Amino acid sequence: MLIKTPSSFELRDCSHHVQPLLIAPSRPTPNHTLYLSNLDDQPFLRFSIKYLYLFKKSVSVDTLKRSLALVLADYYPLAGRLRVCPSNDHKLEVDCNGEGAVFVEAFMDSTAEELSEILNKKPNKSWRKLLHRVDGATSFIDIPPLIVQVTYLRCGGMILSTAISHCLCDGIGTSQFLHAWAYLTANQDADELLQIHQPFHCRHVLGPRVPPRVEFDHLAYYQSTHESDCGYDLYRWLQSQPLVPSSVIFTAADILRLKRRCLPTIKCTAFEALASHTWRSWVESLALPMNLNVKLLFSINVREKMSHDIPEGYYGNAFVLGCAETTAKQLVNSNLHDGVTLVQAAKKACSRECVKSLVDLLEDDKVKTDLRGSFVISQWSKLGLEEADFGGGKCMHMGAVASDVCCLFLPVVGHKDSIRVLVSMPEAVVEKFEDCMKGFLDEKEDCNAGKDGWIDNCF
């Protein structure tokens, strides 16, 4: 997939004076095979979550390596390797062999202030210099579950980039791991870490029932057959296009104005309002056929719903995909609150029983995530990722290494409750998308919004 960018935002090359290292756990760890649940082992999640941090002050490479070895002693599956299950070539498992995480040290002749300006723009291919790519890797299985690159800067700052296998961790799990590593780096106290961040490894807590019982409709999925694969595949078409990233920041005031547009009909959260608005802007900018069925897929954390099954410290995938669905015509021509109502209904439909039904459904290896006409949103803005402090202070910037057709809601460091919306679009429509996203700011607000104290109570 081609991402076109202005050359003025290109990053300088990194210099590497040390070969990549493997950081093994600091003490012997269990040598066994870790079962991955059906929620972990979805083909949709066979990629690495790539985070990028910019810090004004650096931490020594020896301290980072030491603390990484310590935290991997607790999160030891991240030091293992993915492999295909011998008994089922459709499933993956983790060989917890303690081989180690990949650690790369680099230097870039730039300052944190220079990079802060660049990293607050739209990602481009030069950002990939900030995260090591494994030589000879031909598939996702060849990539270690954890890759770290620390890039030191001329001013004494650093960039810390990580790639964490989504098969092993969801967003909450990655945040849990990164905060544990940051805590150990800053405090260098392994014993206290065990009391605060004890991880829970076993994925059988989200195992399927015997026999499986699929008792609900799961709109985010479909059974792949020759016939069903022949329909219009918007996702595949997007992946084939030259794409450019769009990065739009919504301040807390912007989001409040969006939420006001749903009043007094319904009250909604910031995510519900912004997700609905972004979905509609995406569909409208692509000028899709009006009769096309379009879906919004978004993650729903089920830890609380499944609290009897999922213990505290569980860092595996404990989310399901909520699915809002309508036609392009109904979405584009409707009011914002109509889209919000669809999002809220999708969230309400996610019960404990529905989660168990989905786990059972995914026992069928022909079941796939329905990306064909879907807009996918992953919310990073509420994970607390930007709060991680490795000992030199909190970051100046936290974001993604790259942009894709799946949309990210990112935190904006220093601006609480603001959200950066990052998504790649076909070059011909990205300007229209951004106009749709920000156009509501020029519209007159509903004069009824804000009566009876609704605005004060909607956060």
Side-chain angles (χ1 to χ4, degrees):
M1 177 170 45
L2 176 64
I3 303 289
K4 296 185 177 180
T5 58
S7 59
S8 57
F9 298 132
E10 294 285 318
L11 296 180
R12 294 188 173 99
D13 288 339
C14 293
S15 57
H16 300 266
H17 303 296
V18 180
Q19 290 296 312
L21 302 172
L22 288 177
I23 304 296
S26 61
R27 62 178 184 270
T29 56
N31 188 346
H32 66 95
T33 298
L34 178 68
Y35 163 82
L36 294 178
S37 77
N38 287 345
L39 296 184
D40 290 319
D41 191 33
Q42 301 178 68
F44 172 59
L45 299 184
R46 293 186 181 183
F47 67 92
S48 296
I49 305 173
K50 300 178 176 66
Y51 295 132
L52 185 158
Y53 287 91
L54 172 65
F55 294 98
K56 191 169 186 177
K57 294 183 179 179
S58 64
V59 178
S60 76
V61 68
D62 289 338
T63 299
L64 286 171
K65 289 190 291 187
R66 176 184 176 277
S67 60
L68 181 58
L70 286 171
V71 78
L72 285 176
D74 294 314
Y75 289 85
Y76 64 87
L78 289 173
R81 293 296 181 266
L82 287 165
R83 67 186 181 192
V84 176
C85 293
S87 59
N88 184 346
D89 59 8
H90 293 286
K91 281 193 68 67
L92 299 181
E93 61 187 18
V94 184
D95 179 11
C96 298
N97 56 17
E99 188 171 340
V102 177
F103 186 95
V104 177
E105 180 185 358
F107 175 80
M108 180 179 286
D109 188 18
S110 297
T111 67
E113 286 73 17
E114 292 169 347
L115 290 173
S116 178
E117 182 177 353
I118 294 173
L119 296 176
N120 277 302
K121 306 294 183 182
K122 302 174 183 181
N124 62 62
K125 287 199 294 185
S126 73
W127 292 22
R128 297 175 188 173
K129 302 171 184 177
L130 299 172
L131 187 57
H132 175 72
R133 301 185 73 174
V134 177
D135 292 336
T138 59
S139 72
F140 173 66
I141 299 177
D142 298 328
I143 300 172
L146 176 61
I147 299 173
V148 174
Q149 179 172 322
V150 56
T151 304
Y152 290 102
L153 307 174
R154 184 177 72 238
C155 63
M158 71 176 185
I159 294 175
L160 184 67
S161 300
T162 60
I164 305 174
S165 172
H166 208 329
C167 286
L168 271 72
C169 307
D170 62 7
I172 291 174
T174 59
S175 181
Q176 178 180 313
F177 167 76
L178 289 169
H179 277 277
W181 182 23
Y183 179 88
L184 268 182
T185 307
N187 296 279
Q188 301 184 44
D189 188 342
D191 293 335
E192 189 173 351
L193 174 72
L194 287 173
Q195 298 173 19
I196 299 175
H197 296 284
Q198 183 66 43
F200 186 87
H201 304 291
C202 179
R203 310 302 168 90
H204 287 284
V205 295
L206 286 176
R209 293 171 291 191
V210 181
R213 302 195 305 273
V214 180
E215 301 164 324
F216 293 82
D217 292 327
H218 299 283
L219 301 179
Y221 298 86
Y222 74 105
Q223 189 169 51
S224 175
T225 64
H226 178 71
E227 292 78 15
S228 64
D229 287 339
C230 292
Y232 181 65
D233 193 331
L234 174 61
Y235 184 81
R236 184 175 297 177
W237 176 80
L238 286 171
Q239 293 280 15
S240 71
Q241 299 300 301
L243 302 175
V244 296
S246 170
S247 177
V248 182
I249 292 178
F250 282 75
T251 66
D254 294 338
I255 295 170
L256 181 57
R257 289 188 66 179
L258 272 180
K259 293 169 69 174
R260 280 178 173 150
R261 292 192 170 277
C262 296
L263 300 176
T265 309
I266 54 172
K267 292 188 286 186
C268 63
T269 66
F271 174 80
E272 291 163 355
L274 186 55
S276 176
H277 176 62
T278 306
W279 181 30
R280 185 171 64 171
S281 298
W282 182 80
V283 170
E284 184 174 355
S285 63
L286 288 171
L288 299 177
M290 288 291 96
N291 63 346
L292 183 68
N293 201 52
V294 291
K295 295 180 179 182
L296 169 65
L297 306 184
F298 59 96
S299 57
I300 300 174
N301 174 28
V302 299
R303 284 169 171 80
E304 184 174 344
K305 298 178 190 296
M306 306 290 290
S307 59
H308 293 298
D309 305 277
I310 302 176
E312 186 176 355
Y314 188 85
Y315 62 98
N317 288 281
F319 76 93
V320 299
L321 289 174
C323 178
E325 183 177 20
T326 186
T327 64
K329 180 179 180 179
Q330 290 173 326
L331 182 64
V332 170
N333 293 336
S334 66
N335 295 318
L336 178 65
H337 62 73
D338 293 329
V340 167
T341 299
L342 293 173
V343 173
Q344 291 179 338
K347 292 170 67 175
K348 186 177 180 180
C350 179
S351 63
R352 182 173 183 270
E353 293 73 22
C354 186
V355 175
K356 287 183 171 291
S357 175
L358 174 60
V359 171
D360 291 350
L361 174 71
L362 293 174
E363 274 290 278
D364 184 348
D365 57 42
K366 293 185 178 63
V367 171
K368 294 183 178 181
T369 309
D370 192 0
L371 302 176
R372 297 168 300 176
S374 300
F375 182 60
V376 183
I377 295 177
S378 181
Q379 182 170 213
W380 294 9
S381 59
K382 297 298 182 181
L383 299 178
L385 291 160
E386 71 279 14
E387 298 297 319
D389 184 348
F390 286 79
K394 294 181 181 178
C395 62
M396 298 173 64
H397 172 86
M398 186 275 149
V401 175
S403 176
D404 202 347
V405 295
C406 293
C407 179
L408 297 176
F409 283 4
L410 300 166
V412 182
V413 174
H415 298 275
K416 186 181 178 182
D417 297 324
S418 292
I419 297 174
R420 182 191 303 274
V421 178
L422 177 66
V423 63
S424 284
M425 300 282 293
E427 187 174 15
V429 303
V430 70
E431 185 175 349
K432 183 178 179 182
F433 172 73
E434 293 177 352
D435 287 344
C436 290
M437 288 289 281
K438 282 296 189 179
F440 79 97
L441 293 174
D442 300 324
E443 299 173 5
K444 186 177 180 180
E445 290 192 46
D446 188 337
C447 62
N448 292 320
K451 289 186 177 181
D452 302 321
W454 283 58
I455 292 301
D456 293 336
N457 296 326
C458 65
F459 274 106

